[in-house]
Amino acid sequence: MLLWTPGILNRLQKVLKIFVTYIKHQASKVKMNYREDSYYIKRVLSGNLPSYAILVEKHKNLSFTLALRIAKNHEDAEEIAQDAFLKAYNSLNSFKEESKFSTWLYKIVFNTAISKMRKKQMLSVSIDDGHIGFGTLCEFAEV
């Protein structure tokens, strides 16, 4: 019969933490081989919606990084990136392939971030000035 003393449990917990860290490190070395963006775009436009998840996975890090540089806040950057991916999905049929998808997407991320920061700044100024009313709050919340 095994006795799980606090010392053994503590050592086991440390070993598990090391193991999990090692697995995460090894997983980060694995790089998925993606096809060209146009392949996934054509699939999405023909009704294969899960292909868009691959485009999101492929471009999420740079999109988040760009949003974070502008927003300087993790929560806002996540929201901006999500909004940008949604906007890109809704406008995917207007993508002309004159430029790379990533260029088009990052422009959407940039514009979404700038718009959000402007709204946030205007809301902050309005609240600071004491001129905020219920109607103004609804406009910024886009209710």
Side-chain angles (χ1 to χ4, degrees), residues 42-97:
K42 288 174 186 163
R43 290 188 62 160
V44 171
L45 293 175
S46 67
N48 186 323
L49 301 182
S51 292
Y52 193 70
I54 296 171
L55 286 171
V56 170
E57 183 65 31
K58 185 176 178 182
H59 297 286
K60 71 179 180 182
N61 290 337
L62 286 176
S63 297
F64 175 77
T65 301
L66 174 59
L68 185 59
R69 285 185 168 207
I70 295 168
K72 299 189 183 350
N73 173 310
H74 275 42
E75 291 79 20
D76 287 342
E78 286 177 359
E79 186 177 331
I80 289 165
Q82 289 174 359
D83 289 348
F85 278 113
L86 185 60
K87 287 177 184 180
Y89 175 78
N90 288 330
S91 302
L92 198 56
N93 59 352
S94 68
F95 175 62
K96 306 261 189 277
E97 293 192 44

Side-chain angles (χ1 to χ4, degrees), residues 70 80 109-120:
I70 295 168
I80 289 165
V109 172
F110 179 82
N111 290 337
T112 302
I114 295 299
S115 294
K116 181 168 180 64
M117 292 302 99
R118 283 184 185 148
K119 284 181 182 179
K120 193 172 182 177

